[in-house]
Amino acid sequence: MAVRKTSKKPNVSKDELLAFYREMLLIRRFEEKAGQLYGMGLIGGFCHLYIGQEAIVVGLEAAADEGDKRITSYRDHGHMLACGMDPKGVMAELTGRSGGYSGGKGGSMHMFSKEKHFYGGHGIVGAQVPLGAGLAFADKYLGNDRVSFAYFGDGAANQGQIYETFNMASLWKLPVIFVIENNQYAMGTSLQRASSSPELWTRGAAFGIPGESVDGMDVLAVKEAGEKAIAHCRAGKGPYILEMKTYRYRGHSMSDPAKYRTRDEVQKVRDERDAIEHVRELLLQGKHATEEDLKAIDKDIKVIVNEAAEFAKESPEPALEELWTDIYAEA
Amino acid sequence: MAELTMIEAIRAALFRALTDDPDVIIFGEDVGIDGGVFRATDGLIQRFGASRVRDTPLSETLIAGMAVGAAAHGLRPVAEIQFMGFIYPVLDQLANHASRLRNRTRGRLTCPMVLRAPFGGGIKAPEHHSESTEAMLAHIPGLRVVVPSSPPRAYGLLLAAIRDPDPVVFLEPKRLYRSTSEEVEDDGEALPLDKAFVLREGEDVTIVTWGAMVAEATEAAQQLAETGVSVELVDLATLKPIDRATIRSSVEKTGRCVVVHEAPLTAGLGAEIAADLAEHCLTSLLAPIRRVTGYDTVMPYLRLERHYLPNTARIVEAVGGVMEFA
C-alpha cells in the first residue's frame, strides 16, 4: 500500500485545494444522500456508491481538458459529478424520474452527457473498455487531440475484453488512458483471491503500454499522474495505464452486507488514508482555510445535495408512453 | 448498369458509402490487405487507405465494442465478423450496448454502426461456419437484423443499413455470394429497411422466407405454378423489426402460409410469424400455418448438409399439404 504523502509540502494553490475539497465532499455527501434515498425505497434495483474513491475522479478531472472523454462502469455517480454534470439530474435518474439524465429510463448505471463528454455508465463489468477505445479511435481519426479515460475496476481487470482492447489500443496508438480503480474487492472477492498478479498496473507490459501505480487516496498524486498520462497520449504515444490504489467504504452495492472484510479494516482506511481528510489537513495546516471556512463549504454542499434530493423526489415519473420510445429512430 | 454477384454488390455498396461519407470506416479481421475472408472488402484498402479500411486483431468482442464507441462519437463504422458463428462473443456488445444506447440516452447518443457477417449454410462446413442464429439477434430490441437475398437487394439494403441511425446486423447468405449475377445499378440509391419485398404475387398460398431460402422458394413457386398453385412469395429482408403488415395482408389474401428458414425450428423466427398470423389473421386462414426449417440439431458437416437445409422439394411438399387441407 502506498504511503500517504501529507508531510511533503505540496505545490498546489489554495484555490485548487479548496476546489478539490469541495468536489470530493460533494461526491461523498451526494452518495450518502443516495444511500438514504435507497433505504427509503426511492431508488430501484442496484445502487453502487463511490464513497472512499472520490480522489480519483476529482484528481483526473483536474488534469483533463475540455473535450476529453470519460466512460466507466456502474459505480459512476462520482465520475458524473466530477465532470460537471448536474447533481439534480443524476439524483433524479437514480429515482427513475423524468428530470433524470436518461429521463428515468437508465437508472444508476446508465447515464450519459454528450455536453460533458461522459459516455456512461455501463452495467457489464469490463464491457465499457472497448467502447472507450472506440471513443479514442474516433478522436484520433478526427485528429482533434483529445484523450479518453476508460475506467474499470480490479474485478474487471480479469475480463478478457480488456486485453483485446490493450492490444489494439497499443497497436493503433489510441489516446486512451486506462484507469484501474483498484478498490481491493471485486464485489466480495479480494484482489488477492482473484488475481494471479496483483500489480494491475503491470498488466499492459505485454502490450507495450506503460503503467504506474498511484495512491488513489491522494488527489494531488492522482492529478500529477493524470497529467503525465495525458501528456503521453497527446504526444501520440498511445495508451497509458494508471492503477489507482483506493478503497470503497461501503458495500459493493446497497444490498451487500460486506461480510468479506472486517469493520476494523474499513475503519483503518478511513482513519489513516481518507482522501477528503487529507485535503482538509492540507488546507488547515497550510492556513489556507479555517474550520469555519470548511464548515461553510459543508453547508453549501448540504444545500446542493438536499436540493438534488428534493428535485429527485418531485420530478414527475416518466409518462407511460416512454415505455415505447427511443427503441429505434422515429421513422 | 452492370451484372454483379452478391459479393460484388456488397463491395460496390461499401465503395459507395466510403466515397460518399468520410465518417464511414471499415474494420474487421483481414478486411484490409487480404480483402476479407469472402473478398467483400477486396481493393478497398488500396482505394481508401489503411486509416479507413483497417485490419484488426482477432478480437470479435473488441471489434464490436470499438464500433459502438466510435459510433457513439459520430463515426459510421462498418465492422465485419468473419462468420456468424463467431458472433457469440459480440452479443455482449450488441445486446448490452449497441441496441440500448438510444434508449438509455433518450436519443442523445445513437449507435449508427453496421456489423456484417456471412451466415447460413451451403458451403458444406459444419456448425459455426454455416449456422443461422438470426432469431437470437432478432430477439434484441433496438437492433435491426437485415438479410439480403439478391445482388440488388444486397446493394440497396447495405447502403440503407450504413445510413441508418441505429445499429444493424447485416447477415449475408454466403451461399448466394457468387451463385448468380444480376443487374445492379450503382447509383447510391438505398432500399427501404423494415420493409418486406413481395417478389411474386399469387393467390393461393404465401411463402415467407429470407436469405438463401428465397432461391429455393422461388424454384418451388415455379414448380407449383405448373401444377396450378399460385404462390405469393415474400422476402422478409428485414427480420427485425418485422414488416408484419405486408405478411398479414398477403395471408389475408391467400388464406395460407408457409414459412421457410434454415434456422432450427424451435423458437425460430417462423414461430413469431405463425403466432402473429394466428393472433391477427385467424379468420382469413384456410389451413394451418406450416414451417419448413432446419432441424433442432447442430448444423451438420459436408454430406449431411443437404439433408438439413430446407430445399425446393420440402417446400413444394409443405405447400401441397397446406393446399390439401383446404
Side-chain angles (χ1 to χ4, degrees):
Chain A
M1 199 64 65
V3 177
R4 158 87 340 110
K5 307 177 192 71
T6 16
S7 56
K8 204 175 89 181
K9 196 166 169 65
N11 181 24
V12 56
S13 72
K14 169 190 167 179
D15 287 347
E16 198 170 18
L17 273 179
L18 280 168
F20 289 154
Y21 183 75
R22 198 184 168 83
E23 287 162 22
M24 289 195 291
L25 199 63
L26 171 65
I27 295 171
R28 183 159 303 180
R29 297 286 175 259
F30 179 96
E31 293 292 66
E32 287 166 355
K33 181 61 80 178
Q36 284 173 19
L37 297 189
Y38 191 90
M40 293 161 70
L42 298 175
I43 295 172
F46 298 92
C47 184
H48 311 86
L49 302 182
Y50 199 62
I51 296 173
Q53 303 180 208
E54 298 91 343
I56 297 169
V57 290
V58 169
L60 289 179
E61 288 299 340
D65 277 346
E66 170 58 30
D68 290 339
K69 295 166 187 61
R70 60 283 293 161
I71 185 166
T72 187
S73 66
Y74 45 81
R75 199 176 306 287
D76 55 355
H77 312 160
H79 303 70
M80 292 186 275
L81 297 175
C83 75
M85 289 167 67
D86 181 359
K88 287 182 182 165
V90 179
M91 197 71 94
E93 190 57 41
L94 297 181
T95 56
R97 304 297 176 134
S98 60
Y101 267 100
S102 297
K105 292 172 78 169
S108 167
M109 296 187 263
H110 303 127
M111 273 179 265
F112 303 79
S113 169
K114 209 171 176 177
E115 296 72 25
K116 300 291 180 187
H117 311 287
F118 179 73
Y119 285 82
H122 296 273
I124 303 297
V125 176
Q128 77 280 7
V129 179
L131 274 64
L135 294 169
F137 170 78
D139 277 331
K140 190 179 166 89
Y141 182 76
L142 299 168
N144 65 14
D145 204 27
R146 298 296 90 190
V147 307
S148 293
F149 294 91
Y151 291 85
F152 56 99
D154 50 293
N158 292 324
Q159 287 277 10
Q161 39 185 318
I162 304 280
Y163 299 95
E164 295 187 18
T165 311
F166 279 6
N167 181 48
M168 186 130 77
S170 182
L171 189 70
W172 291 1
K173 296 275 177 280
L174 300 181
V176 55
I177 298 165
F178 299 109
V179 184
I180 308 175
E181 299 194 61
N182 177 2
N183 66 17
Q184 321 291 334
Y185 291 93
M187 221 167 110
T189 306
S190 69
L191 183 72
Q192 288 71 23
R193 294 176 59 222
S195 294
S196 59
S197 62
E199 299 298 333
L200 302 177
W201 62 274
T202 65
R203 295 251 177 126
F207 307 95
I209 305 176
E212 61 184 285
S213 171
V214 182
D215 181 356
M217 306 297 272
D218 179 346
V219 68
L220 304 178
V222 170
K223 186 192 169 200
E224 194 182 313
E227 285 168 343
K228 190 173 161 192
I230 290 168
H232 178 90
C233 281
R234 290 212 217 282
K237 294 178 184 170
Y240 202 92
I241 294 171
L242 296 174
E243 180 192 355
M244 300 291 178
K245 304 270 196 200
T246 185
Y247 199 81
R248 95 174 123 68
Y249 296 175
R250 306 289 279 266
H252 164 73
S253 72
M254 289 298 295
S255 52
D256 173 13
K259 286 180 179 170
Y260 43 83
R261 61 186 185 188
T262 63
R263 281 177 185 277
D264 286 350
E265 179 185 308
V266 181
Q267 195 57 48
K268 194 169 154 58
V269 180
R270 279 183 180 268
D271 291 344
E272 296 177 6
R273 299 181 62 215
D274 187 77
I276 297 176
E277 278 305 310
H278 173 218
V279 173
R280 184 185 161 82
E281 282 168 26
L282 290 175
L283 281 164
L284 293 173
Q285 281 169 10
K287 306 218 182 301
H288 298 306
T290 64
E291 291 278 0
E292 283 66 39
D293 295 335
L294 299 184
K295 270 184 192 153
I297 293 176
D298 263 10
K299 213 172 149 189
D300 284 353
I301 283 171
K302 207 169 177 184
V303 170
I304 294 170
V305 168
N306 283 338
E307 281 175 359
E310 282 314 303
F311 179 77
K313 287 178 197 168
E314 284 165 18
S315 175
E317 291 187 11
L320 180 58
E321 301 85 75
E322 290 294 341
L323 190 56
W324 308 102
T325 59
D326 299 317
I327 304 300
Y328 300 98
E330 297 290 326
Chain B
M1 195 123 58
E3 287 239 329
L4 300 181
T5 61
M6 183 182 281
I7 199 80
E8 289 165 342
I10 286 165
R11 195 181 306 135
L14 294 172
F15 195 103
R16 170 69 66 166
L18 284 161
T19 305
D20 287 353
D21 184 352
D23 287 339
V24 173
I25 50 161
I26 287 181
F27 53 83
E29 297 159 5
D30 278 327
V31 298
I33 290 171
D34 203 37
V37 64
F38 287 97
R39 331 297 308 157
T41 53
D42 199 21
L44 297 181
I45 193 171
Q46 287 80 5
R47 171 63 180 79
F48 297 99
S51 72
R52 299 187 68 196
V53 182
R54 306 184 71 107
D55 283 318
T56 66
L58 298 175
S59 306
E60 282 82 7
T61 315
L62 173 68
I63 290 168
M66 285 211 26
V68 176
H73 194 321
L75 298 187
R76 289 187 178 267
V78 182
E80 179 179 295
I81 299 297
Q82 290 189 330
F83 289 90
M84 193 185 191
F86 304 174
I87 225 166
Y88 304 118
V90 170
L91 280 180
D92 185 9
Q93 293 296 346
L94 289 178
N96 284 316
H97 295 153
S99 62
R100 298 179 192 181
L101 208 50
R102 173 180 293 283
N103 194 250
R104 283 176 184 163
T105 64
R106 296 278 297 257
R108 288 191 280 263
L109 289 180
T110 57
C111 191
M113 64 177 275
V114 176
L115 197 75
R116 296 178 37 250
F119 100 120
I123 61 162
K124 300 181 171 52
E127 298 196 28
H128 28 65
H129 287 85
S130 298
E131 60 204 358
S132 309
T133 47
E134 67 270 24
M136 193 176 66
L137 297 165
H139 197 63
I140 300 171
L143 208 59
R144 274 196 167 75
V145 183
V146 177
V147 180
S149 65
S150 74
R153 281 190 291 285
Y155 177 85
L157 290 171
L158 182 53
L159 280 179
I162 294 169
R163 292 169 191 167
D164 190 75
D166 291 310
V168 179
V169 179
F170 195 81
L171 299 174
E172 300 165 2
K174 57 178 104 59
R175 184 178 169 189
L176 302 184
Y177 268 158
R178 294 181 172 80
S179 62
T180 55
S181 297
E182 272 186 54
E183 294 282 322
V184 178
E185 190 167 1
D186 184 9
D187 55 2
E189 286 291 316
L191 284 167
L193 295 176
D194 307 349
K195 198 85 195 114
F197 298 89
V198 178
L199 299 183
R200 179 187 178 109
E201 294 195 7
E203 302 300 322
D204 300 325
V205 57
T206 301
I207 297 179
V208 182
T209 189
W210 52 91
M213 288 297 108
V214 169
E216 298 287 345
T218 303
E219 173 62 26
Q222 278 159 13
Q223 290 182 18
L224 286 159
E226 288 163 20
T227 65
V229 177
S230 166
V231 171
E232 178 140 309
L233 178 58
V234 177
D235 172 11
L236 196 55
T238 302
L239 311 191
K240 180 72 175 286
I242 295 181
D243 178 5
R244 298 172 191 274
T246 296
I247 300 172
R248 286 178 199 165
S249 72
S250 174
V251 173
E252 278 162 6
K253 178 176 72 174
T254 62
R256 301 176 185 88
C257 184
V258 173
V259 187
V260 184
H261 58 64
E262 290 184 42
L265 176 78
T266 303
L269 216 51
E272 175 60 33
I273 293 166
D276 186 79
L277 292 173
E279 281 179 338
H280 297 278
C281 305
L282 190 63
T283 53
S284 305
L285 286 172
L286 303 170
I289 299 157
R290 283 283 299 269
R291 288 174 287 167
V292 180
T293 70
Y295 303 110
D296 287 346
T297 64
V298 177
M299 178 76 197
Y301 176 56
L302 190 57
R303 312 284 171 198
L304 293 172
E305 185 186 63
R306 67 195 158 88
H307 300 296
Y308 175 90
L309 289 176
N311 54 28
T312 302
R314 280 175 64 193
I315 298 167
V316 168
E317 189 194 346
V319 170
V322 168
M323 294 305 298
E324 256 174 51
F325 186 91

